Amino acid sequence: MRFSISFLLLLFLDATVRCSVKLCEQGQLWARGRELLSAMKGQLVLVAFPSAVDNRTLQKLSSLAEAHGHVRVITLLDPSSCSTEEATAMGRDWRWLIVERDDIGTRQRLGLNQGEVALFDRCGRLSRSLPLSSTEELNQAMRAAQHHAACGWCQYGTEKNGEDGGNTIEKKLDAFFQNAIATPSPS
């Protein structure tokens, strides 16, 4: 009995250490062989892990993305719920969202459950996790993150002297996601 309790405790601790990113630690999001957060440095990023792929959930996320233009909204779908082609089609249909499959278990590595979201600050640090079902709480968190860095301020660009002697901020943006990030204004 004593051995089995010790064994279960060790399994739990091992799973906790391997699977969870603590608040204010650097996170990583991978899709299609690219790391997303480094490509989006300088922007707040909300990553949703919906429990079901339905129009209601995607509409809610799209509305949040449209209302908070300073936040990039990524939806990582459970691979068992849709194919790569379906995820690509959803990305075209919901222009305010970046829709990908969570093929490498990002949700588990962050220690989140289906139906939760992760909010990353401008430097790619996990600043909050919230339930996807609470729209008002999500709106408040996104507004607050715009003006307050819960994990402390950080520098997300690199300063360098240009030929003209002035300082410029060089922002890093992965070309793979330029089309997804540069959404046209609504007509």
Side-chain angles (χ1 to χ4, degrees):
M1 177 70 172
R2 194 175 190 192
F3 173 74
S4 62
I5 292 173
S6 298
F7 181 72
L8 288 174
L9 182 60
L10 284 173
L11 283 176
F12 173 76
L13 290 174
D14 181 51
T16 302
V17 169
R18 280 187 295 117
C19 295
S20 62
V21 174
K22 294 178 184 162
L23 288 181
C24 297
E25 282 187 359
Q26 187 70 35
Q28 287 189 335
L29 297 173
W30 290 85
R32 296 187 191 186
R34 301 287 185 159
E35 205 286 315
L36 301 176
L37 290 178
S38 63
M40 296 182 187
K41 286 256 172 140
Q43 297 179 6
L44 297 169
V45 179
L46 181 81
V47 183
F49 301 95
S51 53
V53 181
D54 58 24
N55 282 340
R56 191 172 144 249
T57 301
L58 293 173
Q59 177 61 48
K60 176 182 181 174
L61 290 168
S62 182
S63 296
L64 282 169
E66 189 174 2
H68 300 277
H70 59 278
V71 180
R72 298 304 310 161
V73 178
I74 301 172
T75 305
L76 290 180
L77 305 172
D78 186 339
S80 66
S81 68
C82 72
S83 68
T84 304
E85 293 79 20
E86 290 171 319
T88 302
M90 285 182 227
R92 282 191 305 266
D93 294 343
W94 300 96
R95 68 184 204 162
W96 293 100
L97 301 177
I98 297 172
V99 180
E100 296 289 346
R101 286 173 25 121
D102 187 13
D103 288 323
I104 62 167
T106 301
R107 180 184 58 79
Q108 292 90 348
R109 284 187 295 126
L110 292 173
L112 299 176
N113 296 315
Q114 288 291 95
E116 290 187 326
V117 299
L119 182 61
F120 292 90
D121 70 7
R122 288 177 173 87
C123 287
R125 300 174 297 191
L126 178 63
S127 62
R128 265 190 98 174
S129 62
L130 303 156
L132 179 58
S133 60
S134 176
T135 305
E136 187 53 38
E137 191 176 357
L138 286 170
N139 275 310
Q140 289 174 359
M142 292 165 78
R143 277 193 300 272
Q146 183 179 9
H147 301 291
H148 174 72
C151 297
W153 297 106
C154 62
Q155 183 174 350
Y156 48 84
T158 56
E159 290 188 22
K160 65 180 185 179
N161 287 329
E163 290 180 10
D164 60 356
N167 288 332
T168 60
I169 301 289
E170 178 186 18
K171 294 195 177 179
K172 302 172 187 169
L173 186 62
D174 188 348
F176 181 79
F177 286 99
Q178 283 182 350
N179 290 333
I181 292 170
T183 54
S185 61
S187 40

